[in-house]
Each structure stands twice: as C-alpha cells, then as structure tokens.
Amino acid sequence: MTASRHLVFASHNSNKTEEIRAILGSDFVLDDLNDIGCHEEIPEPYEALEDNALAKARFVYNKYGKDCFADDTGLKVEALNGRPGVQSARYAGPAKDSDANMAKLLDELQGKTNRKARFRTVIALIVEGKEHLFEGIINGTIAEKPFGKEGFGYDPIFIPEGYNQTFGVLDAAIKNRISHRFAAIKKLADFLQ
C-alpha cells in the first residue's frame, strides 16, 4: 500500500475530523465533507447506527466516487433504557446542541443511582465499491454535572471505565487511545494496511 492513502470522512464535524486525523496519523490523507465541497446535510433516518453510517458513506461514494467512510455514534444510558442511543446528536432537538443534550440527559438522570453508560461507534467504509463495518465500544458512567472543556458532544459528562475524570478533562491523547471512536478507527486502519 502507498504511504498516504486518501480517504473522505463523511462528516461536517471538524472536531471529529481532527480527532480521527490524530488517530490515523500520517499514513492517511483525510478530507471531510467541507474539504470536498459537500455542504448538504446527509439524512440519518434509521434506528440502527450501522444503517445510518452506511447511508452516509453510500451518499458520498455514489455522488463523489471517492473511497470514504462514515460513522454513527450512540450513547446508551442503562437507567434510561438505552437512550439517547441513535438519537444522541439530536437528543434535545434537531439543532445538535451539545449543551442542551447534556442538560436533558442529566435532568432525566436526577435521582437515579445507576449511571452506567456506554459509547458505541460504528464505521462504514466503502473502498472500490466494497462495504465494510467496524465497531468500537467504551463503557463508563455519567457524571453528576459537566467537567472539562476538552472534546465535544457528551465528553464533559462521560467518565470512561478505569478513570475518575470525564473525557472533557482527560487529555486528548489519552482519549484518542481508549475511546470508542479510537477502537473503530484502529480496526479500519488495520484493515486498510
């Protein structure tokens, strides 16, 4: 394989793109939707992470003809019967407002002692027309209130198993070694190499 493989990440989220670039390292040149001039919001209408990830990857591959991958991530909270799950990004509404999502989640957990949760990421990769799926999971708990400004999304309230600080406090290098996204991206990178 050549030293720098070119891939498109089917996302407009620059925070995710930077996190994935850091995980992949110099073996890959990674563009996101902004880089290829795609400003459309790709629908994620499905109830399964796999289906949403595949839909986004297929959209990019079919429209732009580029090898690409897409992810979908859900935070499942045990005491909330697995919510917010596939609706994690839009839990408090269509605006994808992380602060509102965390506030709603913390409000629903008030008075509950079970704060077990897990992040699950599914990545759909399309290379030369062939589809592949990769999964990453990390278990943890939900903090009583947000801590830290690192990361994005639910990071300030998610405490990964084996740690006593949220992803919002932990150094990005630590998060990138243990996260659900890292586990899935590592499988993708290993597969491509």
Side-chain angles (χ1 to χ4, degrees):
M1 178 168 108
T2 58
S4 291
R5 179 150 199 167
H6 200 146
L7 288 172
V8 173
F9 175 41
S11 177
H12 292 104
N13 186 328
S14 57
N15 290 314
K16 266 195 209 181
T17 303
E18 287 310 310
E19 186 176 286
I20 291 172
R21 279 185 181 132
I23 293 168
L24 286 175
S26 60
D27 290 342
F28 296 87
V29 175
L30 185 66
D31 288 334
D32 64 15
L33 295 180
N34 303 313
D35 297 322
I36 64 168
C38 176
H39 303 292
E40 297 170 65
E41 191 68 32
I42 303 171
E44 301 175 66
Y46 301 106
E47 290 301 313
L49 299 174
E50 292 84 352
D51 294 333
N52 285 326
L54 280 166
K56 291 187 284 187
R58 287 171 181 156
F59 177 92
V60 172
Y61 189 80
N62 292 334
K63 184 163 184 173
Y64 296 93
K66 295 180 181 286
D67 289 346
C68 63
F69 66 94
D71 79 324
D72 201 18
T73 296
L75 174 65
K76 289 188 166 194
V77 180
E78 200 171 276
L80 301 179
N81 299 317
R83 288 191 322 272
V86 74
Q87 297 300 322
S88 292
R90 296 173 180 82
Y91 196 45
K96 295 185 178 179
D97 182 323
S98 295
D99 291 333
N101 289 337
M102 285 189 291
K104 179 177 179 177
L105 184 71
L106 290 173
D107 186 56
E108 290 181 341
L109 279 176
Q110 277 193 345
K112 295 191 182 339
T113 54
N114 178 2
R115 301 186 77 86
K116 290 181 186 172
R118 75 172 190 169
F119 267 121
R120 179 173 176 252
T121 291
V122 173
I123 291 177
L125 170 71
I126 303 179
V127 175
E128 297 170 4
K130 293 191 173 78
E131 297 178 351
H132 310 274
L133 290 172
F134 307 94
E135 174 190 69
I137 292 173
I138 186 165
N139 294 307
T141 56
I142 301 298
E144 297 283 338
K145 61 182 183 179
F147 293 99
K149 299 287 183 198
E150 295 295 316
F152 57 94
Y154 294 91
D155 286 354
I157 62 170
F158 185 81
I159 303 168
E161 207 168 69
Y163 292 81
N164 58 13
Q165 295 176 314
T166 67
F167 273 155
V169 174
L170 289 172
D171 183 81
I174 294 172
K175 180 187 175 189
N176 288 348
R177 279 198 317 270
I178 66 170
S179 78
H180 48 294
R181 192 165 289 109
F182 169 79
I185 290 291
K186 176 91 170 65
K187 290 174 186 174
L188 175 147
D190 290 348
F191 172 80
L192 289 172
Q193 290 171 342

